[in-house]
Amino acid sequence: MKPRALVLAPMRGQEWNRLRELIDVHYDPADHRPHQAAELARQLADTGSRILITEADEVAGPVLDLPLLVVGCARSEAGNVDLPVATAKGIPVVCAPGRDADAVAELTLALILAVTRRVAVGDREVRRGMASYRRHRAWELAGRTVGLIGYGAVGRAVAWRMKGLGMRVMVYDPEAAENRYGLDVLLAQADVVSVHTPASAGRLVGAVEFATMKPGAIFVNTVDAALHDMDALVGALKAGHLGGAALDRFAGEWLDPAHPLADMDNVVLTPHLGSGTYDTEINHTRMICEDIVRILGGERPLHCANPNFQE
């Protein structure tokens, strides 16, 4: 009998069609809140699935007590999976590093331009019958400096786009060969500061860092709300020290409409649009499906998240 898979992440492309020839699939990619481990374990048991492909569901505890053949995580990192336990139980976990690098980089560029050129404000004003462009003059990005905190796949994808606009690129990432500056130096010189470090890095930008930033600078975070201090950001904006901000992620993926940021014209807010492209789905589908085929054929996967995993 073919092994059965519970697939809760959106999948598309040729590799998906090929994998479905080898396995039976219970496909439920509809938008839903992430399943907690107990709920996910019940769904796996009810469907008789030994393969799990997930995006944000909790893969821990009772889920890993099941005789799973493989877990596919449709993310750049398998942060929702208890990797030590999966490894100890011999369950390979495959993920899709860099799946959304271009998608997030494009959104980063869009957010920077939206803030600096007041695109969202101008759109609202035109819809209200207002057309006073003189109030919205801005500096061009060409010739200015962007500071990238984190220089993984997304950071690199952002860098060449910024260079294409004529910007100088500064990098702070102790793991990257391109790291040339301390964080304080980058913050003091950059006209735009954009965060691209993994969420696991914890809070990197707080009151001290915002105060260190160049007056009038723009702050952008498309990664995770936990990487910056929201109250400190609001304070820096209200004080006029920062020129604007753009955020794509919020705690709990929700922002109270009464939050101070919602009333600021120099702030652009989007609902986790970064990885939301069809291309991202094609990318993670390709990497995950190819690795599952390898595992089913007794080969080692290429994108294994388990540390020092041995089959």
Side-chain angles (χ1 to χ4, degrees):
M1 294 178 60
K2 293 181 181 179
R4 169 160 287 200
L6 173 62
V7 181
L8 301 176
M11 309 289 278
R12 66 175 63 240
Q14 295 180 351
E15 288 79 7
W16 175 233
N17 295 331
R18 294 194 190 103
L19 181 63
R20 295 181 74 169
E21 295 176 359
L22 300 176
I23 64 174
D24 290 328
V25 172
H26 182 86
Y27 187 49
D28 183 17
D31 290 337
H32 55 72
R33 62 174 178 80
H35 293 91
Q36 297 300 308
E39 181 183 4
L40 180 57
R42 284 194 298 271
Q43 193 167 1
L44 283 162
D46 289 344
T47 58
S49 299
R50 297 192 62 197
I51 296 171
L52 171 64
I53 300 179
T54 175
E55 189 164 22
D57 306 284
E58 184 185 20
V59 183
V63 175
L64 297 174
D65 288 336
L66 298 171
L68 296 176
L69 297 173
V70 57
V71 172
C73 182
R75 306 177 80 172
S76 294
E77 296 181 321
N80 58 316
V81 181
D82 188 335
L83 283 176
V85 173
T87 303
K89 296 198 172 189
I91 302 172
V93 178
V94 297
C95 58
R99 69 172 186 139
D100 58 358
D102 286 322
V104 177
E106 287 184 3
L107 181 69
T108 300
L109 172 58
L111 291 175
I112 292 171
L113 289 171
V115 174
T116 59
R117 299 305 303 272
R118 296 177 64 80
V119 174
V121 176
D123 175 83
R124 289 195 297 270
E125 290 189 355
V126 169
R127 294 171 189 271
R128 294 169 184 166
M130 303 168 63
S132 179
Y133 74 90
R134 297 180 185 277
R135 295 189 304 108
H136 300 310
R137 284 195 177 94
W139 295 106
E140 297 171 5
L141 294 177
R144 302 195 176 270
T145 298
V146 59
L148 304 179
I149 302 176
Y151 204 62
V154 177
R156 294 192 298 273
V158 172
W160 68 257
R161 288 170 168 84
M162 299 298 102
K163 290 177 182 177
L165 291 174
M167 298 192 78
R168 172 195 177 207
V169 175
M170 299 178 69
V171 172
Y172 172 73
D173 185 336
E175 302 298 321
E178 293 82 359
N179 187 64
R180 300 282 189 274
Y181 311 94
L183 181 58
D184 56 341
V185 174
L186 179 148
L187 294 173
Q189 294 188 23
D191 299 285
V192 177
V193 174
S194 190
V195 179
H196 300 288
T197 193
S200 57
R203 182 171 294 177
L204 293 175
V205 185
V208 172
E209 288 74 24
F210 284 125
T212 304
M213 286 175 63
K214 188 175 181 179
I218 307 299
F219 176 73
V220 182
N221 185 352
T222 56
V223 182
D224 194 287
L227 291 170
H228 71 267
D229 184 319
M230 186 71 98
D231 292 337
L233 174 60
V234 171
L237 289 164
K238 282 186 173 181
H241 178 66
L242 295 186
L247 306 176
D248 188 45
R249 301 293 302 275
F250 307 94
E253 301 296 358
W254 180 80
L255 183 72
D256 188 335
H259 194 280
L261 290 180
D263 289 327
M264 296 184 181
D265 283 345
N266 59 342
V267 175
V268 176
L269 309 168
T270 52
H272 195 175
L273 299 181
S275 60
T277 68
Y278 298 122
D279 304 88
T280 293
E281 294 176 4
I282 289 173
N283 291 339
H284 72 226
T285 298
R286 182 186 67 256
M287 287 185 274
I288 289 172
C289 289
E290 288 179 348
D291 270 349
I292 290 176
V293 170
R294 288 188 181 93
I295 289 170
L296 294 178
E299 300 178 36
R300 183 172 179 79
L302 298 180
H303 306 103
C304 189
N306 308 72
N308 303 315
F309 183 76
Q310 299 294 328
E311 302 93 335

